[in-house]
Amino acid sequence: MKTLVLYYSYSGHARALAQSIAEQEHADVAEIRDIKRPNILKAYVLGAPAAMKAKEWPIAPLGVKLGDYECLHIVAPVWAGNPAPQVNALFVQIPAGKSVRVTMVSASGTSKCQPWVAELIRNRGSVLDAFADVRG
């Protein structure tokens, strides 16, 4: 199964995990990048409420075609218990018919977003095959 590991990492924790997963799965890897990287104040003061409201922040073109892969493995930071707004922008780009795995990275190793993420992916016509919360 051709797999693409996509990640967003503000601090570097999700990046290291994504690269490790890509090596283990013999997968391609692509970074979700901000069009304009927020400073730390904006990331936390505005980013946390945006994450809680499932808002999207603009991301740069991925440089890969999601349709070329059968499996998408998304590695993302947890902001206020939810995916970062940049990751929300990726979720709405997922094409139908994909196997999707999501790994959420946080200091606590917990999030509260699995039901919402599963529903969003299902509404896109894809299947959430795996979801994990990891400490990182």
Side-chain angles (χ1 to χ4, degrees), residues 15-36:
R15 176 183 299 111
L17 180 60
Q19 290 169 339
S20 175
I21 290 169
E23 285 180 24
Q24 292 170 11
E25 296 182 0
H26 304 287
D28 294 338
V29 64
E31 183 176 8
I32 303 163
R33 297 176 189 232
D34 296 287
I35 287 179
K36 182 178 179 188

Side-chain angles (χ1 to χ4, degrees), residues 67-134:
D68 290 347
Y69 296 87
E70 291 109 358
C71 179
L72 305 175
H73 191 149
I74 301 164
V75 181
V78 174
W79 289 8
N82 297 284
Q86 298 85 341
V87 179
N88 293 334
L90 172 70
F91 283 143
V92 300
Q93 294 182 31
I94 295 173
K98 300 298 171 192
S99 167
V100 181
R101 301 175 192 150
V102 176
T103 302
M104 300 301 300
V105 182
S106 67
S108 67
T110 61
S111 71
K112 55 185 174 187
C113 61
Q114 182 176 0
W116 174 81
V117 168
E119 181 180 348
L120 179 63
I121 290 168
R122 194 171 37 254
N123 290 343
R124 299 289 305 160
S126 288
V127 176
L128 179 64
D129 285 330
F131 186 95
D133 282 311
V134 298

